[in-house]
Amino acid sequence: MGIAEKKIGLAVVTGASSGIGFELAKIAAAKGYDLIIAADEEGIKDAAAVLRRMGANVDALVADLSTLEVVDRLAECIEADGRSVDLLLANAGRGLGKGFLDQEFAEARRVIETNVLGTVYLIHQVGSQMRTRGAGRILITGSIAGFIPGSYQAVYNGTKAFINSFSFALRNELQDTGVTVTCLMPGPTDTRFFERADMLDTDVGQSEKDDPADVAKVGFDAMMDGEGDVVAGWKNKFQAAVANLTPASVLAAQHAKMAAPGTAKS
């Protein structure tokens, strides 16, 4: 990507230190948006440096968006900028592998609070401002995992089922307001997700994955076109379609073969 075009607005991207979120931020910067980015790791500062070299003005916040208080900090950063948010790319998310009863509950709770509570609260704050103004675009990173009962990843898949459903409902509520909502539903993507979720010893953790830059482009383009949802990758489109026709018990058993600890092929 080259130097950014003339500044055309403000984009807020969460989970932007790496992976899909970083690629979304790069696309926004290349298209001329200034950025407010946030993530729960110090790498967000390195991401900001890259984006500034692309010509964007960037405010970066190291923030664990699993709590309302920290989301409020991000909202204060947005307010201090003084401009309306044109694009909200709600991408922050966290995974967790292993059987539910074998997980530390504090970690499972953090997945729920990051993927659901923090995401919904941020969208409520920024989306309310967009609706009042009558303009804005929201991209929410869901997942094809939301269509599948996630044995050995039960909490994560459950949160993505919520996010997918929430995004479809919010889009309907905001029709004719000038605010669009798009749900990006990727499959397994080559990010730090599986490392952070302690799933590197699983079949899905070791399998071939999609390029986060490709996934981000699919999602960003769908958002700008005002589409309601998009599944990235033809294999994932097929899997999502099949999931709608397959009994939940079968899906859960299939997922266990991919996500149970020790299923990685040698």
Side-chain angles (χ1 to χ4, degrees), residues 187-190 194 203-211 235-236:
T189 306
D190 190 11
F194 294 97
D203 180 55
V204 67
Q206 294 296 322
S207 66
E208 184 178 353
K209 300 176 180 61
D210 295 327
D211 186 333
K235 290 183 180 179
N236 298 322

Side-chain angles (χ1 to χ4, degrees), residues 74-89:
L74 177 56
E76 290 168 2
C77 184
I78 295 170
E79 184 177 357
D81 182 274
R83 289 179 289 175
S84 300
V85 176
D86 299 283
L87 308 178
L88 172 60
L89 300 102

Side-chain angles (χ1 to χ4, degrees), residues 189-261:
T189 306
D190 190 11
T191 70
R192 293 185 57 221
F193 174 88
F194 294 97
E195 174 189 350
R196 296 183 68 181
D198 194 17
M199 294 182 66
L200 292 181
D201 64 341
T202 66
D203 180 55
V204 67
Q206 294 296 322
S207 66
E208 184 178 353
K209 300 176 180 61
D210 295 327
D211 186 333
D214 294 339
V215 173
K217 185 179 187 305
V218 167
F220 196 97
D221 289 348
M223 173 186 65
M224 297 307 290
D225 289 342
E227 296 179 22
D229 60 276
V230 61
V231 176
W234 70 266
K235 290 183 180 179
N236 298 322
K237 293 178 190 293
F238 177 76
Q239 186 175 358
V242 169
N244 288 324
L245 302 173
T246 305
S249 59
V250 174
L251 291 172
Q254 291 174 343
H255 197 279
K257 294 177 182 179
M258 298 187 303

